[in-house]
Amino acid sequence: MVARAQAAADTDVCVLVDAEIVLLPEIVNALDRFSKVDGDWFLVSLSRNVTDPRYQLADSGSHWVQADGKEVSFTEEIPAEWSSSEGSDRGLIMAWNNPSSALHAGVLPSFLYGRGAQNWWLAHEVLSSEMRLFFDASSLVLGLYPESISAMQHVMASSKNGRLPSVSWEYGVNHHLAAVYGSYCCRSPARRFPMLHRVVKQSEDYMLSKVDTLVSSDFFISKQGNAHGVDSLRKKQNVSLSGYLHGCSSETSAPDLPYSLSMLLDLVADENGSVVLGVAGKSYRDMLMSWACRLRRLRVTNFLVCALDHETYEFSILQGLPVFRDPLSPTNVSFDDCHFGTKCFQQVTKVKSRIVLEILRLGYNVLLSDVDVYWFGNPMPLLYSLGLATFGAQSDEYNETGPINLPRRLNSGFYFARSDNATIIAMEMIVKHAASSGLSEQPSFYDVLCGENGTNRIGEDRCLEPNTNLTVVFLDRDLFPNGAYKGLWEKRDVRATCKELGCFIIHNNWINKRRKKVHRQMVSGLWDYDPTSRQCLQEWSAQNDGAIPFV
Ligand SMILES: *[C@@H]1O[C@H](CO)[C@@H](O)[C@H](O)[C@H]1NC(C)=O
Ligand SMILES: *[C@@H]1O[C@H](CO)[C@@H](O)[C@H](O)[C@H]1NC(C)=O
Ligand SMILES: *[C@@H]1O[C@H](CO)[C@@H](O)[C@H](O)[C@H]1NC(C)=O
Ligand SMILES: *[C@@H]1O[C@H](CO)[C@@H](O)[C@H](O)[C@H]1NC(C)=O
Ligand SMILES: *[C@@H]1O[C@H](CO)[C@@H](O)[C@H](O)[C@H]1NC(C)=O
Ligand SMILES: *[C@@H]1O[C@H](CO)[C@@H](O)[C@H](O)[C@H]1NC(C)=O
Ligand SMILES: *[C@@H]1O[C@H](CO)[C@@H](O)[C@H](O)[C@H]1NC(C)=O
Ligand SMILES: *[C@@H]1O[C@H](CO)[C@@H](O)[C@H](O)[C@H]1NC(C)=O
């Protein structure tokens, strides 16, 4: 609609407003005055709640009266009720002049239709693009809306002075989408996700049952304003509730974006303080999403994503991913051909060990999973059961027989590190070793933990690092196969073959070039994301009958 308005070049002023809002004559006066402003401008104004006794339409319909019968004057400043409309799109009036010039410099994200947030997005984007004068005219009463929208409120925090919320739009959007998709737990007893609530009220029974399905499959959506969820996740929620309340409550100011690492950890970590870490740059964006969709589908909610560049960060925010930006990663690298053996690959992989170490120091266990690792099931309980001072890593050995802990056979694209002294010290040694190495970080893992020539090897699947007594377990390849093992990727039905073996994952490595890699995963049916619609496959397809359309 904005684009259509922009195309109407013979228009002086565009006003975008929900049809249910009653525009007051005051808006004509206001726009008349604004049209005298020299330059391009953009105006927002919050409408007022019509159930407020201050505003009653008098019998004749010609004027508004207060409860005491006195005529309402809309010319004086009246504070808007930001608190009752926060996070909602409704009630917001937007107007701008000179439609032939741009409103903002942003790229319109893939909003869910009817889920709110797009008006706020537009307002914040115009504000931050600084291409127009921006006016918040909320203290002028320009419109009234007919019904309660208190049910619409969610995370958007409002500022005390009744002006536009001072938090970034990203926070509300990401938070909302994450809750809808179930990426991570973020819910307080009072929170509601009203869009489905509305859908339920409006439509037939089949939507009701659909909502039930959503609720019973761990989505934090309320039907009657009560929180629903599955017990395991509710417990988990308990762990992160304090962090959530700290971050989301409107009494405290919302956190700055990008999210800090420690805040995200608090939000996503499971009951044992473990997280799954994915790291991705923009050329691996679709692969990242496929990976994230897969984890969502498996109900793995304790994952988080480290974005290597700003594009990936923004993209991830708008997909509801719990994402943080690595401030130290190289920004000038083109990740387009960031495959094994390239300089870029070395830099990216060195980022990973550094971030893992940071998380371990913050007290969380980390399962690092490259985004080209496809998950069949959740290996976390198994990996956690390896115990303290044990480092579980994928073996990159391709020979089907013989030891799996030979030199340089440790794959640093999938490993579980516990936040204990031995592991932290060993990781410090690895990061240091990698920093002074001309290779990627992968050989550093082996050389540090197992000794350059495998001198610390024990048996056929272990090493013992002598300084820390850290045990390295090379994970059973039937459960954690690499991309060369048993030619699994060449099998006609990769999924069935892996299922027979009992695989938790399969690594899409031992292949060069990103395009081939993506192709291999797609043709094997181990791909969960549709980049054109930006939707997860499967998960939403059952509801793809128009109930929740995407823009
Ligand atoms: C509208 O105003 C009335 C009276 O002030 C109040 O009781 C009600 O909660 C308000 N509704 C919303 C959505 O703020
Ligand atoms: C939730 O957290 C509170 C306070 O930390 C604790 O007392 C309570 O036992 C926890 N409940 C569950 C189910 O873990
Ligand atoms: C990125 O910038 C750094 C520092 O300016 C430079 O050393 C490095 O070679 C650059 N990398 C690429 C791939 O251009
Ligand atoms: C958490 O720890 C308990 C007790 O050690 C264990 O039984 C459970 O499997 C662990 N859960 C995960 C997800 O690691
Ligand atoms: C695989 O391992 C077996 C036994 O350990 C050995 O005899 C064989 O030479 C190895 N094959 C390759 C290709 O390294
Ligand atoms: C871990 O290291 C810290 C600091 O070096 C020390 O205070 C603590 O006792 C150690 N914990 C264990 C279990 O060794
Ligand atoms: C590993 O083996 C190579 C070749 O046999 C040897 O030159 C090197 O010194 C050995 N390194 C260690 C740490 O033993
Ligand atoms: C490692 O284990 C050995 C033998 O049990 C012990 O003597 C040594 O103190 C341990 N080292 C550390 C750092 O715990």
Side-chain angles (χ1 to χ4, degrees), residues 284 286-288 290-291 294 370-375 489 494-495 506-509 511 514-529:
Y284 272 81
D286 293 345
M287 207 145 215
L288 164 70
S290 181
W291 180 82
R294 185 63 196 159
D370 278 356
V371 295
D372 62 355
V373 171
Y374 185 84
W375 287 41
W489 280 110
V494 181
R495 185 186 296 277
I506 183 170
H507 202 151
N508 190 3
N509 65 348
I511 186 167
R514 178 175 52 100
R515 229 177 315 116
K516 284 199 220 159
K517 194 186 270 256
V518 171
H519 183 255
R520 176 159 89 171
Q521 226 173 299
M522 281 179 163
V523 297
S524 308
L526 305 184
W527 186 265
D528 287 34
Y529 179 66

Side-chain angles (χ1 to χ4, degrees), residues 49 51-53 81 84 145 147-150:
N49 172 1
T51 58
D52 189 317
E81 285 148 10
S84 63
Y145 58 83
E147 57 173 81
S148 163
I149 58 163
S150 63

Side-chain angles (χ1 to χ4, degrees), residues 332-393:
N332 58 344
V333 186
S334 159
F335 288 101
D336 225 19
D337 246 334
C338 202
H339 53 79
F340 188 80
T342 61
K343 186 115 201 134
C344 160
F345 183 84
Q346 289 172 21
Q347 282 180 290
V348 170
T349 55
K350 285 180 190 184
V351 166
K352 293 193 288 192
S353 56
R354 196 166 40 70
I355 302 270
V356 168
L357 176 57
E358 208 175 323
I359 298 176
L360 294 178
R361 283 179 173 151
L362 288 167
Y364 297 87
N365 312 311
V366 183
L367 170 53
L368 181 121
S369 170
D370 278 356
V371 295
D372 62 355
V373 171
Y374 185 84
W375 287 41
F376 295 103
N378 188 359
M380 188 60 89
L382 175 81
L383 296 171
Y384 188 81
S385 73
L386 293 174
L388 288 167
T390 308
F391 184 93

Side-chain angles (χ1 to χ4, degrees), residues 353-547:
S353 56
R354 196 166 40 70
I355 302 270
V356 168
L357 176 57
E358 208 175 323
I359 298 176
L360 294 178
R361 283 179 173 151
L362 288 167
Y364 297 87
N365 312 311
V366 183
L367 170 53
L368 181 121
S369 170
D370 278 356
V371 295
D372 62 355
V373 171
Y374 185 84
W375 287 41
F376 295 103
N378 188 359
M380 188 60 89
L382 175 81
L383 296 171
Y384 188 81
S385 73
L386 293 174
L388 288 167
T390 308
F391 184 93
Q394 185 175 47
S395 167
D396 228 4
E397 178 58 64
Y398 46 88
N399 196 345
E400 284 178 33
T401 55
I404 60 172
N405 60 352
L406 292 174
R408 302 273 167 98
R409 295 302 200 282
L410 191 154
N411 188 297
S412 61
F414 187 88
Y415 61 86
F416 184 59
R418 289 285 289 255
S419 174
D420 53 38
N421 281 357
T423 311
I424 290 174
I425 293 166
M427 278 303 292
E428 282 167 353
M429 290 157 57
I430 290 166
V431 169
K432 197 164 158 217
H433 187 279
S436 60
S437 150
L439 305 171
S440 77
E441 71 176 12
Q442 179 151 301
S444 296
F445 276 81
Y446 192 90
D447 292 356
V448 167
L449 300 177
C450 297
E452 234 177 82
N453 295 332
T455 39
N456 306 337
R457 287 168 56 197
I458 293 180
E460 303 214 317
D461 67 347
R462 269 155 212 266
C463 296
L464 183 69
E465 200 291 310
N467 297 306
T468 56
N469 286 346
L470 179 71
T471 301
V472 179
V473 173
F474 288 78
L475 299 167
D476 182 342
R477 286 174 303 165
D478 281 349
L479 308 185
F480 300 91
N482 61 59
Y485 182 63
K486 286 188 176 169
L488 286 174
W489 280 110
E490 280 73 53
K491 298 283 191 250
R492 205 176 47 80
D493 190 341
V494 181
R495 185 186 296 277
T497 314
C498 287
K499 199 172 173 187
E500 234 167 81
L501 280 177
C503 304
F504 280 102
I505 58 147
I506 183 170
H507 202 151
N508 190 3
N509 65 348
W510 289 87
I511 186 167
N512 253 340
K513 298 277 178 205
R514 178 175 52 100
R515 229 177 315 116
K516 284 199 220 159
K517 194 186 270 256
V518 171
H519 183 255
R520 176 159 89 171
Q521 226 173 299
M522 281 179 163
V523 297
S524 308
L526 305 184
W527 186 265
D528 287 34
Y529 179 66
D530 173 12
T532 45
S533 67
R534 294 190 176 178
Q535 286 184 77
C536 291
L537 297 174
Q538 302 165 20
E539 179 163 313
W540 288 97
S541 61
Q543 308 152 23
N544 243 353
D545 49 16

Side-chain angles (χ1 to χ4, degrees), residues 48-81:
R48 298 302 195 280
N49 172 1
V50 86
T51 58
D52 189 317
R54 274 177 296 186
Y55 319 122
Q56 300 285 323
L57 200 55
D59 284 347
S60 64
S62 64
H63 62 283
W64 297 84
V65 293
Q66 297 174 359
D68 58 9
K70 236 175 90 191
E71 189 167 345
V72 178
S73 164
F74 289 115
T75 52
E76 62 194 74
E77 289 211 347
I78 304 171
E81 285 148 10

